[in-house]
Amino acid sequence: NAGVTQTPKFRILKIGQSMTLQCTQDMNHNYMYWYRQDPGMGLKLIYYSVGAGITDKGEVPNGYNVSRSTTEDFPLRLELAAPSQTSVYFCASSYYLAGGPEQYFGPGTRLTVT
Amino acid sequence: AQTVTQSQPEMSVQEAETVTLSCTYDTSESDYYLFWYKQPPSRQMILVIRQEAYKQQNATENRFSVNFQKAAKSFSLKISDSQLGDAAMYFCAYRGRSQGAQKLVFGQGTRLTINP
């Protein structure tokens, strides 16, 4: 049981390039999330998904896109990378229950845009 | 919208001493969860402790305990017998309990240093 895995661990992009951050969970969680963490700050929600085929915007969605074709995978797409997207990106997952448990986080991807 | 505030950017404590990290939040909901997460230099987000708002009893996990004051919207974390491995960023987080409200709202974090 690997939990939540993210690839790559590190990436450097040039301005205007695009890339996809991969996230996979093997816990059969229906909820998945993408957060970004800027230096010295807490995490902010980019997008989330309540199940395959269903996604919704979080607090800071501009410049990103997501898709959820399977329960396990929730990739985050950056189009036309900008220096403001330099950050650490975390994927997380959880069950949906009325009294559901906490979110489980992946190890993060450090992205630098220059 | 819910907000979470951690007013202490940095704290330090002597090894084996006790330290308390502060957190306040703002919400109009009556039922919710509160969490403390630890983030060591490895960047991994590690759940430390969880509190359900409907429970009056403060949560405890070994050396970690909380002081949950619902009326004051305060949720502090006490670490007893501090150890060098406790050095990390600590984040307070809020999550509503209503259907669909599964998103976490984080505070800005407190960097905890343990002095040997």
Side-chain angles (χ1 to χ4, degrees), chain A residues 7-12 19 108-112, chain B residues 43:
Chain A
T7 57
K9 286 187 169 54
F10 304 94
R11 184 71 185 270
I12 298 174
M19 76 164 294
T109 294
R110 182 180 293 277
L111 176 67
T112 302
Chain B
R43 294 203 311 260

Side-chain angles (χ1 to χ4, degrees), chain A residues 89-100:
Chain A
Y89 291 84
F90 289 94
C91 180
S93 70
S94 71
Y95 287 113
Y96 169 67
L97 292 170

Side-chain angles (χ1 to χ4, degrees), chain B residues 81-94:
Chain B
D81 185 25
S82 298
Q83 300 175 0
L84 295 177
D86 295 334
M89 285 288 288
Y90 285 82
F91 292 97
C92 178
Y94 168 100

